[in-house]
Amino acid sequence: MADGVTLIDPPSTFVDATVQVGMDTLLQPGVIVQGTTRIGVGCDIGPNAVIKDSIIGDECRIQGSIIEGSSLAHRVQVGPYCHLRPGTRLEEDVHIGNYVEVKETAVGRGTKVGHFSYLGDAEIGGWREHRSGYRYL
């Protein structure tokens, strides 16, 4: 808290000593952050989110979801009620809707995954650079 992180309800928020949290990040009640997790600046986490051994980019919004062994780029929105399993990689500006489960999947920049979805062992969406400019995959 002395480094600019806001905890709405410190007694209900659990952060391991190994976790790094960026300035201006808000941790709402019931949040649990464990392991080697790194959270960027300006994020809004919770309520009731559980994050373990993951990398969360800047300005991400995670609502009441479980994230394990995953990597989220900047401005990613997740949840509520999602489960990101190990090996999940979300690029910039990805939106993951309610009740989505993702496992061992790379989701490309700007992709939106609707509610009640499952993505497993895949690479979907986003933009790839091409010598003539960008094209959508």
Side-chain angles (χ1 to χ4, degrees):
M1 288 173 35
D3 292 332
V5 177
T6 302
L7 279 68
I8 299 295
D9 185 21
S12 73
T13 305
F14 300 92
V15 180
D16 279 352
T18 55
V19 169
Q20 298 175 10
V21 181
M23 288 180 52
D24 297 326
T25 289
L26 172 66
L27 299 179
Q28 297 189 35
V31 167
I32 300 171
V33 189
Q34 303 172 314
T36 58
T37 298
R38 291 190 329 243
I39 298 175
V41 300
C43 294
D44 186 353
I45 311 293
N48 302 317
V50 177
I51 304 172
K52 182 176 183 180
D53 298 325
S54 297
I55 298 171
I56 311 298
D58 298 338
E59 300 176 15
C60 289
R61 170 85 169 115
I62 299 167
Q63 299 177 346
S65 296
I66 298 171
I67 299 175
E68 315 171 79
S70 298
S71 174
L72 283 63
H74 306 306
R75 297 177 306 280
V76 170
Q77 297 178 13
V78 176
Y81 311 115
C82 294
H83 192 167
L84 305 184
R85 294 184 179 276
T88 296
R89 190 175 76 240
L90 307 179
E91 298 298 329
E92 292 182 354
D93 301 309
V94 166
H95 173 83
I96 303 292
N98 303 349
Y99 300 100
V100 173
E101 182 172 357
V102 184
K103 177 190 88 68
E104 286 286 337
T105 297
V107 180
R109 183 172 57 153
T111 301
K112 293 176 177 34
V113 178
H115 310 311
F116 302 103
S117 299
Y118 172 80
L119 303 174
D121 303 305
E123 182 175 325
I124 63 163
W127 296 88
R128 297 285 176 160
E129 189 168 351
H130 186 266
R131 61 183 158 83
S132 63
Y134 286 99
R135 62 185 174 96
Y136 188 72
L137 294 178

